[in-house]
Amino acid sequence: MFLTDEEKRMLDGEMGFGMQKAMQLNVALGEAMEAERMIPVTSCHLGGLSIRSSEDAGFDFYNELADKGAKFKITTTTNLISGDLYQWNALGLSAEERDRQEKLIDAFVRMGALRTQSCTPYLL
């Protein structure tokens, strides 16, 4: 897969840990799909915000990125979560799940994501 000089610097870690991890994932996905190159994007919408879908591996990964200062390079919005954090008890979430969910959201916000928590952020 062809990478620009800037993309190569990102992949080599010259632009920080978070950018390097993002590029490693993007290159692996691109190669798996036999992409010739990357294309520029100006915004993205993130899934995986629910503790029930990200589980321990996702929770740990996103918090590690945020703890190491990773920042989104483009406008980033967030998808739905496991449940209403204000009515968590009525929805069957434990206090531990509620706190864990809030910490996962916080990791994305610390990286610069907009806390839209919607599957239709363009309406906001």
Side-chain angles (χ1 to χ4, degrees):
M1 187 163 101
F2 172 79
L3 296 178
T4 66
D5 289 341
E6 180 183 30
E7 291 164 347
K8 289 176 186 173
R9 287 192 305 275
M10 290 177 194
L11 186 60
D12 290 340
E14 292 179 29
M15 296 184 184
F17 174 80
M19 193 67 68
Q20 183 179 35
K21 286 295 177 191
M23 284 300 293
Q24 288 171 344
L25 290 169
N26 284 327
V27 167
L29 287 170
E31 289 175 348
M33 295 179 200
E34 299 180 1
E36 294 177 16
R37 63 181 175 80
M38 296 200 183
I39 60 169
V41 294
T42 58
S43 65
C44 73
H45 183 69
L46 295 174
L49 223 69
S50 167
I51 56 168
R52 293 185 175 173
S53 63
S54 66
E55 297 188 347
D56 290 342
F59 180 87
D60 293 342
F61 178 70
Y62 297 128
N63 276 285
E64 178 184 17
L65 287 174
D67 291 346
K68 291 186 176 182
K71 298 289 181 195
F72 294 112
K73 189 174 180 178
I74 58 176
T75 301
T76 304
T77 55
T78 57
N79 205 27
L80 301 174
I81 58 171
S82 294
D84 186 328
L85 295 179
Y86 299 103
Q87 297 182 37
W88 55 273
N89 200 13
L91 296 171
L93 288 175
S94 68
E96 179 184 4
E97 286 176 307
R98 187 244 176 256
D99 292 345
R100 192 168 171 83
Q101 181 64 76
E102 189 66 49
K103 186 171 181 181
L104 182 58
I105 294 166
D106 179 62
F108 285 98
V109 170
R110 287 187 290 142
M111 291 187 283
L114 301 173
R115 190 176 174 161
T116 53
Q117 291 174 224
S118 170
C119 57
T120 54
Y122 48 84
L123 295 176
L124 301 173

